[in-house]
Amino acid sequence: MRAILVDLAPSTAVRPSLEMLPLVNVGHKSLADYATIATRGLMQEIRRLAEPLRGKRVLHISATAFGGGVAEINYTLVPLMADAGLEVEWRIIHGREEFYDVTKAIHNGLQGAPGGLDAEQRRIFREYNAMNAGELSDEPYDFIVVHDPQPAALIDHFPGSSARWIWRGHIDFSTPNREVFDFLLPSICRYDAAIFHLREYVPQADGLPECFIWPPAIDPLAPKNMALSPEDASYILDQFGIDVERPLLTQVSRFDPWKDPLGVIDAYRLVKERFPEVQLALVGSMAHDDPEGWDFYNRTVSYTAGDPDVFILSNMNNVGAVEVNAFQVHSAAVLQKSIREGFGLTVSEALWKSRPVVAGRVGGIVTQIEDGRTGWLVDSPEQAAEACKAVLDNPEEARRTALRGKEHVRRNFLTPRLLRDWLALFNRQLGNETAGVELTTAAQR
Ligand code: UDP
């Protein structure tokens, strides 16, 4: 069935094209390569779950193929689902600045920022979703997986669809601005299932579909996370002007107030009082659906006040996956001083590299770090500074902590487990057995 466009004629700014939504080329990955990392039991579960799904058609839809966690996850999940025997596509919705301004306001509202949405913002959100729905046919698909709020209202235009629609929320919904959440709620209620990272994120609301809880995962074999020697990491960082003989603190994240890069600079300054040789790298990609990114990037640059030991780098400086890997591998400590955080893939990425991680005590970070055992959880720049000083004072102890963190990531936050959960959900949606895999639902206590 093609989308029904009823009373939502697109504005002249967003004329529908005759093209389908653009496809993302995800390349190829092979499940067999993960056999040395995942347990044999997990690999068997994946194979059993994949069997009845052979040939099923899956469409992932998201707002961007670049920058941020959703893109990071899909570049691995989509090709691995394909290797498991499903027919999988990932498509990106169209948008322009006016739409991304609204979706950023929605994102901020869902993470608790005050202020609602005015009539014009609501109109823009609906119009772009209607326009994108007009470029989509649900007919070829068995499952349509919609990521995050930006395309959440596509489903409004497919009443009676034969596809199973699943909505995946990736952000921190623990304290949503209710007005913003209530705007999205009617759309979310139309889905067949919704997935949240944490139980605390599932909103109190009537009419929600069955809600499942599972965290995302990192790909241990992707260029971002594959083994990189300390020598190679130093060689790469040297080319960015980092003094590889002196300690480095790093935060890798979008330039976004919720990631608190200014708080990271405050923490670094406090560390520098005791360790004058310390350097700081803030590595942040610019996502095309994040209009606030540039403003906040500029604010972050000014906040450094020209300190030559602070390096602000992004994809604009050719920092790609391998370079992020090198920064994480080389750092004395990795920070993720978020104020809100859906999950925080960067935490697992750093722990996987056995790096000491100092991170905000928020959202999905607390599932990755047990304070004092696998890393450091902090509530302020002062606490972040204290934790970094503890790491620099006692690197051996810090490394032991990080190794425990790595083991926690290995057991819980690597891609094969994520693939297993998706395959189990697809089977469950079709009424199939789930090979003994018990998915956690919001109803369970
Ligand atoms: N990332 C990157 N380059 C950057 C900044 C971020 O590759 O300059 C990646 C980072 O390594 C991680 C993802 O983007 O894989 C961010 O995911 P996370 O869950 O930490 O935060 P989100 O951006 O989804 O809020």
Side-chain angles (χ1 to χ4, degrees):
M1 172 187 312
R2 274 193 79 81
I4 297 176
L5 289 174
V6 268
D7 54 344
L8 295 167
S11 72
T12 47
V14 287
R15 282 200 189 289
S17 78
L18 295 174
E19 296 292 310
M20 286 278 286
L21 301 182
L23 268 177
V24 182
N25 179 359
V26 293
H28 171 72
K29 285 187 192 286
S30 170
L31 254 177
D33 294 343
Y34 294 76
T36 54
I37 293 164
T39 62
R40 191 181 306 170
L42 179 53
M43 294 302 280
Q44 283 168 353
E45 277 175 353
I46 291 172
R47 275 192 286 275
R48 282 209 303 273
L49 289 164
E51 198 48 46
L53 298 173
R54 191 156 287 279
K56 295 287 179 213
R57 294 149 305 175
V58 183
L59 169 65
H60 288 263
I61 304 178
S62 73
T64 176
F66 183 76
V70 178
E72 188 72 23
I73 293 161
N74 278 358
Y75 274 111
T76 294
L77 186 62
V78 171
L80 282 182
M81 274 187 183
D83 193 60
L86 290 79
E87 283 182 29
V88 196
E89 289 172 5
W90 172 18
R91 293 183 182 273
I92 298 298
I93 55 169
H94 294 295
R96 291 194 182 167
E97 198 171 350
E98 59 173 352
F99 177 63
Y100 297 133
D101 284 341
V102 173
T103 57
K104 191 69 204 240
I106 291 176
H107 176 102
N108 290 342
L110 292 173
Q111 295 212 135
L117 295 170
D118 62 26
E120 177 64 2
Q121 289 175 307
R122 289 165 191 249
R123 182 189 67 76
I124 289 171
F125 182 77
R126 290 195 181 110
E127 273 193 9
Y128 274 85
N129 269 270
M131 183 273 283
N132 280 294
E135 297 185 23
L136 179 67
S137 164
D138 65 339
E139 263 157 25
Y141 304 111
D142 296 291
F143 299 99
I144 297 181
V145 178
V146 175
H147 294 268
D148 265 350
Q150 301 94 326
L154 288 177
I155 193 172
D156 299 355
H157 304 278
F158 296 90
S161 171
S162 60
R164 307 301 201 285
W165 287 69
I166 300 166
W167 185 70
R168 195 351 163 180
H170 290 267
I171 59 182
D172 182 342
F173 296 90
S174 53
T175 54
N177 172 328
R178 203 61 220 194
E179 189 188 327
V180 176
F181 192 80
D182 285 347
F183 172 65
L184 279 188
L185 195 56
S187 299
I188 292 173
C189 288
R190 293 194 171 94
Y191 283 80
D192 295 293
I195 305 159
F196 294 86
H197 294 327
L198 303 181
R199 194 186 298 280
E200 300 87 280
Y201 291 177
V202 181
Q204 297 294 320
D206 291 333
L208 282 174
E210 191 168 23
C211 292
F212 295 86
I213 316 295
W214 71 61
I218 62 163
D219 179 355
L221 302 183
K224 161 115 14 114
N225 298 313
M226 67 191 194
L228 187 67
S229 71
E231 294 74 26
D232 286 343
S234 299
Y235 184 73
I236 291 172
L237 262 61
D238 181 54
Q239 297 177 44
F240 287 94
I242 309 290
D243 181 346
V244 296
E245 302 303 326
R246 289 158 52 200
L248 177 69
L249 308 174
T250 295
Q251 173 156 301
V252 176
S253 58
R254 291 179 292 106
F255 290 99
D256 178 321
W258 302 110
K259 307 285 186 183
D260 199 19
L262 308 188
V264 173
I265 294 171
D266 289 338
Y268 150 83
R269 286 187 175 132
L270 293 169
V271 176
K272 205 164 178 68
E273 289 171 7
R274 263 266 314 282
F275 294 91
E277 69 280 20
V278 74
Q279 306 162 92
L280 173 67
L282 292 170
V283 178
S285 64
M286 312 305 285
H288 88 278
D289 67 335
D290 185 0
E292 280 178 355
W294 282 112
D295 282 352
F296 207 66
Y297 172 87
N298 291 331
R299 274 184 63 190
T300 308
V301 171
S302 341
Y303 202 69
T304 67
D307 183 336
D309 284 341
V310 180
F311 298 80
I312 301 199
L313 300 163
S314 74
N315 47 306
M316 309 303 286
N317 309 92
N318 276 340
V319 178
V322 173
E323 289 78 7
V324 168
N325 190 340
F327 271 93
Q328 290 168 331
V329 164
H330 180 84
S331 296
V334 171
L335 289 109
Q336 189 53 63
K337 220 207 85 36
S338 304
I339 296 165
R340 290 272 188 282
E341 189 60 77
F343 180 72
L345 291 172
T346 50
V347 170
S348 277
E349 288 166 3
L351 288 175
W352 182 243
K353 291 154 190 135
S354 315
R355 298 326 301 151
V357 181
V358 175
R361 194 191 310 273
V362 290
I365 289 175
V366 301
T367 64
Q368 299 174 76
I369 292 187
E370 191 185 328
D371 194 18
R373 206 182 80 78
T374 58
W376 287 260
L377 291 177
V378 298
D379 298 300
S380 64
E382 292 74 20
Q383 286 182 11
E386 286 311 310
C388 291
K389 286 188 236 174
V391 170
L392 294 174
D393 270 333
N394 197 341
E396 278 313 308
E397 177 59 32
R399 184 170 162 73
R400 280 193 287 277
T401 303
L403 284 171
R404 287 191 290 269
K406 177 172 185 173
E407 183 53 22
H408 183 56
V409 170
R410 196 184 63 73
R411 274 193 266 118
N412 297 289
F413 305 122
L414 298 185
T415 303
R417 191 232 82 235
L418 180 63
L419 177 66
R420 191 264 323 263
D421 290 351
W422 272 109
L423 298 180
L425 179 59
F426 289 161
N427 275 296
R428 187 171 156 139
Q429 287 286 317
L430 296 178
N432 298 339
E433 290 293 311
T434 54
V437 175
E438 299 257 347
L439 290 171
T440 306
T441 67
Q444 290 160 349
R445 282 285 142 204

